[in-house]
């Protein structure tokens, strides 16, 4: 059998840095810590990355590529409720995978101009996609709302999704890294964002939403039924 080629040092540095940033927070991790965890010299690390911001920007480039893929709405047809549900699932999974960006967002943007500009563009793109999903539902007479209401819904959906993990961390910081707690947190986030559409849904789509919501809530602990 052919053996897999060993991962390059640069890739291993990015993988380890992402894990450390996620677990301990980006401000608490230095290039020295990363080099020690990698069991390489600081000089070897600096051969691949000039500084920590260079590492952060490289991880962000990976994140940006993945999120742009998610934000590509299927062409040739209007989106339906299943598309919205899937979109939220994928988005929350990606947010968790790169959660340090969201947890340390204000600090990162205050000192990294590139991240500030690119993250602002991502938020705008998220709102655009959320608006399009709502408009597609309206065009199928599955959602009844004015342009102004859809605009507010789209913005609110993105705001909640962006800061949901910070909210969950404040709720229960000691369980933040437990596997089941993570799964429950992401499920609550999906439900909470989608629930904003509930009052505006009509017909079969409204019934489908109620069915999906009921199935979803059954999987959550009792506390997940009322996250507020």
């Amino acid at each position: 059998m052919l053996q897999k080629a060993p991962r390059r040092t640069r890739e291993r540095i990015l993988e380890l840095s992402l894990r450390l940033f996620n677990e301990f927070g980006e401000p608490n991790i230095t290039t020295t810590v990363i080099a020690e965890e990698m069991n390489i010299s600081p000089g070897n690390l600096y051969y691949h990355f000039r500084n920590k911001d260079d590492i952060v920007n490289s991880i962000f480039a990976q994140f940006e590529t993945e999120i742009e893929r998610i934000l590509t709405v299927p062409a040739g047809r209007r989106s339906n409720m299943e598309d919205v549900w899937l979109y939220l699932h994928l988005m929350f999974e990606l947010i968790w995978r790169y959660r340090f960006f969201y947890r340390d967002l204000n600090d990162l943007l205050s000192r990294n101009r590139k991240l500030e500009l690119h993250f602002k563009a991502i938020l705008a793109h998220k709102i655009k996609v959320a608006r399009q999903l709502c408009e597609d539902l309206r065009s199928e007479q599955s959602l009844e709302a004015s342009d102004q209401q859809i605009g507010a819904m789209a913005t609110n959906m993105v705001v909640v999704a962006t800061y949901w993990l910070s909210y969950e961390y404040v709720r229960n910081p000691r369980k933040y890294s437990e596997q089941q707690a993570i799964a429950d947190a992401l499920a609550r986030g999906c439900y909470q964002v989608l629930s904003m559409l509930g009052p505006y849904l009509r017909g079969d789509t409204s019934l489908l939403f109620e069915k999906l919501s009921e199935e979803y809530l059954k999987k959550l602990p009792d506390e997940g039924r009322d996250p507020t």
Side-chain angles (χ1 to χ4, degrees):
M1 290 179 62
L2 293 175
Q3 292 185 340
K4 288 185 178 180
R7 287 172 300 158
R8 294 184 303 160
T9 301
R10 177 184 173 86
E11 294 170 349
R12 290 171 54 225
I13 291 172
L14 291 177
E15 184 180 290
L16 174 66
S17 298
L18 176 58
R19 179 172 65 79
L20 293 175
F21 292 161
N22 280 340
E23 289 184 9
F24 303 104
E26 183 272 342
N28 300 317
I29 299 299
T30 64
T31 52
T32 301
V33 170
I34 296 170
E36 288 177 351
E37 288 285 329
M38 281 284 298
N39 198 25
I40 61 176
S41 67
N44 194 350
L45 180 70
Y46 292 132
Y47 173 79
H48 297 280
F49 299 97
R50 296 185 304 274
N51 48 43
K52 191 172 76 168
D53 276 352
D54 195 13
I55 295 175
V56 170
N57 288 339
S58 296
I59 294 175
F60 185 80
Q62 295 177 349
F63 164 76
E64 199 168 23
T65 298
E66 292 186 46
I67 201 167
E68 287 300 323
R69 193 179 302 122
I70 292 175
L71 291 173
T72 302
V73 178
R77 66 175 179 82
R78 295 188 177 97
S79 300
N80 54 37
M81 179 55 65
E82 285 86 351
D83 293 320
V84 178
W85 202 268
L86 176 62
Y87 165 73
L88 288 174
H89 269 282
L90 295 176
M91 184 60 64
F92 270 100
E93 287 173 1
L94 185 65
I95 289 173
W96 176 258
R97 195 152 64 246
Y98 293 92
R99 58 191 175 278
F100 83 92
F101 283 126
Y102 289 83
R103 185 175 61 189
D104 305 322
L105 187 59
N106 291 351
D107 181 69
L108 283 167
L109 299 191
S110 69
R111 55 184 173 80
N112 190 317
R113 178 64 173 167
K114 180 178 180 180
L115 256 63
E116 177 191 346
L117 295 175
H118 283 238
F119 212 94
K120 188 181 296 183
I122 287 174
L123 287 181
H125 196 173
K126 284 182 179 180
I127 292 173
K128 179 181 178 181
V129 170
R131 177 188 284 271
Q132 182 177 340
L133 291 171
C134 291
E135 290 176 348
D136 283 353
L137 290 174
R138 183 174 65 179
S139 67
E140 294 292 325
Q141 298 184 340
S142 298
L143 181 144
E144 186 177 324
S146 65
D147 289 343
Q148 185 177 2
Q149 288 171 323
I150 286 179
M153 269 191 289
T155 298
N156 290 341
M157 290 168 74
V158 172
V159 169
V160 171
T162 300
Y163 290 100
W164 185 258
L165 290 182
S166 295
Y167 167 73
E168 286 286 350
Y169 180 78
V170 173
R171 280 184 81 236
N172 209 340
R174 296 184 181 181
K175 290 188 176 182
Y176 191 70
S177 296
E178 294 181 8
Q179 196 63 36
Q180 189 56 52
I182 294 166
D184 291 343
L186 297 182
R188 278 192 295 269
C190 287
Y191 171 75
Q192 196 69 21
V193 172
L194 197 58
S195 67
M196 296 181 191
L197 296 178
Y200 300 94
L201 297 178
R202 300 291 182 266
D204 291 340
T205 300
S206 178
L207 296 175
L208 175 60
F209 168 73
E210 291 177 6
K211 179 183 176 182
L212 291 173
S213 298
E214 184 177 351
E215 292 175 354
Y216 226 55
L217 291 174
K218 284 180 181 178
K219 299 176 183 178
L220 296 176
D222 289 341
E223 63 172 344
R225 298 174 187 271
D226 185 10
T228 56

